[in-house]
Amino acid sequence: MTAITDAEFEQAATLAPGVVRRYLSGKGWSAERDLSGAELWEWRPQDEPGPPYELLVPVQRRRDYAGRVADILETLAVVEARPTGDILREMLLPPVDWQFLRLVPPGPSGTAPLLDLVSALTGLKDLHTAAASSTLTPQAVQPAQKPLVVKDHVAAVRLDQTRVGSYVIAAHTPLPEGPYGRNDRTGQGALFHDSDLVRHSLLPSEPFARRVSRMLYAGVACAHAAAEEALADDSVPHVEHMTGAGLSANLCEALVKIAGEERRDFSLSFAWSSEMPMEQPSPPVVIAPRHVVALEAVAKDLRERLGREENAVLFGVVTKLNRDVNPREATIYGSLPRDDFYRQRSVRVELRPEDIDKAADAWRHGLEVAVRGDLEPRGTGMRMRRVTTFTVRQE
């Protein structure tokens, strides 16, 4: 058993009984019966037969309170296979929702290649961005320009220390303190309903951070279901009816990004703040390499069929100028803010009369341009129409 340090013992004495019970409830422990001045809590591992783990949890401060909390911490250190200090620090966190991204990289357990982590963390950020965007406005393809509330949510997500497993990235989303306790019965115990698949029906009384957490889980679950359907039918299904539950091309692309260039297995699991209990089960979602291939196809289909994006910005160089069509067009090879930095594509841009000479000058001298307009699919490529700005960047 891991022994608690003197400093941790002193800090344990400062924990309120309610904080300890909140932590245990969030980890799946349950109070079985009341004893004299204490409660007996139990936890049964699903994959371990035999009697449950037991903890005697004080409900009020008495002379031996610090020692009883120290016993709890030492037992939890064994159950969770991590240091008592980490558990103590987590107990002191405000109410949060957790997301655990479990990677399966090659090499010793607890380590991961740097490139795998870069892809995984970028994909995790994009997942939160997609879920927050869908919480505001569910749509099959989210625009590149994000509202401030979406950016603020992503900035608030915190990474915690890694957990036991092949390589587990732990992230948590802080929830505001408020009247959302376990006795609240406003319907927030459900992750998502069938109606969410056809319309946006999240509760306005919930904090935005919890609404995003629910949308994130529902979107990932729908993406897994869409991938399974694509694999079963050997064709790309039309899944836009799932956009109300968080599915989008952006979310599918984020899951693909997490898998990295090597297309490795990974899983996402969720834990909900006990201050806002979630009654509906939320089992882990496992994404295998075969799902990644299917999700790429689903994302591409959504963008090609429903990917019109207003007020998009394209940076690149003019590679072709066609004056024989009406309206005149320029082919620009460049990138969009929504894409990876290194991804380049050719986009046909319909030019306004006042843009023709500027496009010709940029083409002649190889100058970079920035164009703003409405982006939409065109066959296997993209077209920009209704241009509002055409700027030539001078060297």
Side-chain angles (χ1 to χ4, degrees), residues 108-125:
S109 178
T111 68
L114 175 61
L115 293 180
D116 284 19
L117 288 182
V118 171
S119 296
L121 292 175
T122 303
L124 185 60
K125 176 183 73 69

Side-chain angles (χ1 to χ4, degrees), residues 6-271:
D6 291 342
E8 291 167 352
F9 185 88
E10 293 179 2
Q11 196 171 15
T14 67
L15 290 175
V19 171
V20 179
R21 294 199 297 273
R22 183 182 71 188
Y23 179 89
L24 293 175
S25 177
K27 296 295 183 180
W29 292 76
S30 59
E32 296 300 320
R33 58 182 181 273
D34 292 332
L35 302 174
S36 178
E39 294 175 342
L40 183 66
W41 286 63
E42 293 185 353
W43 180 68
R44 293 180 180 273
Q46 295 183 353
D47 55 350
E48 292 183 20
Y53 289 93
E54 293 182 343
L55 288 174
L56 194 62
V57 182
V59 297
Q60 54 185 299
R61 296 179 184 274
R62 293 185 174 177
R63 184 181 297 273
D64 62 345
Y65 179 78
R68 301 289 72 74
V69 175
D71 291 342
I72 293 172
L73 289 171
E74 290 177 343
T75 300
L76 290 174
V78 174
V79 172
E80 300 182 20
R82 58 192 185 118
T84 54
D86 291 354
I87 298 171
L88 183 60
R89 178 180 49 78
E90 188 173 323
M91 282 186 176
L92 295 172
L93 288 175
V96 295
D97 285 337
W98 289 90
Q99 302 89 41
F100 300 100
L101 172 57
R102 182 179 182 272
L103 307 177
V104 191
S109 178
T111 68
L114 175 61
L115 293 180
D116 284 19
L117 288 182
V118 171
S119 296
L121 292 175
T122 303
L124 185 60
K125 176 183 73 69
D126 291 349
L127 273 183
H128 272 277
T129 301
S133 299
S134 291
T135 301
L136 288 178
T137 309
Q139 49 189 315
V141 181
Q142 294 291 345
Q145 301 300 321
K146 301 299 188 292
L148 181 60
V149 65
V150 172
K151 297 178 181 178
D152 287 345
H153 169 81
V154 176
V157 177
R158 311 292 295 180
L159 291 182
D160 202 75
Q161 295 178 354
T162 56
R163 300 294 194 266
V164 172
S166 293
Y167 196 94
V168 180
I169 299 172
H172 61 76
T173 307
L175 302 177
E177 301 282 355
Y180 304 106
R182 63 174 58 250
N183 294 324
D184 185 48
R185 288 293 178 265
T186 58
Q188 61 199 22
L191 285 163
F192 64 103
H193 307 279
D194 292 340
S195 59
D196 290 329
L197 299 179
V198 294
R199 64 182 177 87
H200 187 45
S201 60
L202 294 178
L203 298 172
S205 61
E206 288 182 299
F208 183 71
R210 165 51 66 86
R211 293 166 60 197
V212 174
S213 296
R214 292 207 298 119
M215 186 66 84
L216 177 56
Y217 178 80
V220 171
C222 286
H224 182 272
E228 286 286 351
E229 183 178 349
L231 293 168
D233 297 341
D234 196 23
S235 63
V236 180
H238 288 186
V239 294
E240 49 267 32
H241 64 286
M242 295 183 180
T243 56
L247 182 66
S248 66
N250 311 66
L251 183 134
C252 292
E253 290 161 352
L255 292 171
V256 172
K257 191 173 294 183
I258 290 175
E261 294 183 0
E262 301 298 327
R263 299 293 191 261
R264 304 195 198 281
D265 297 72
F266 67 90
S267 65
L268 277 160
S269 57
F270 295 73

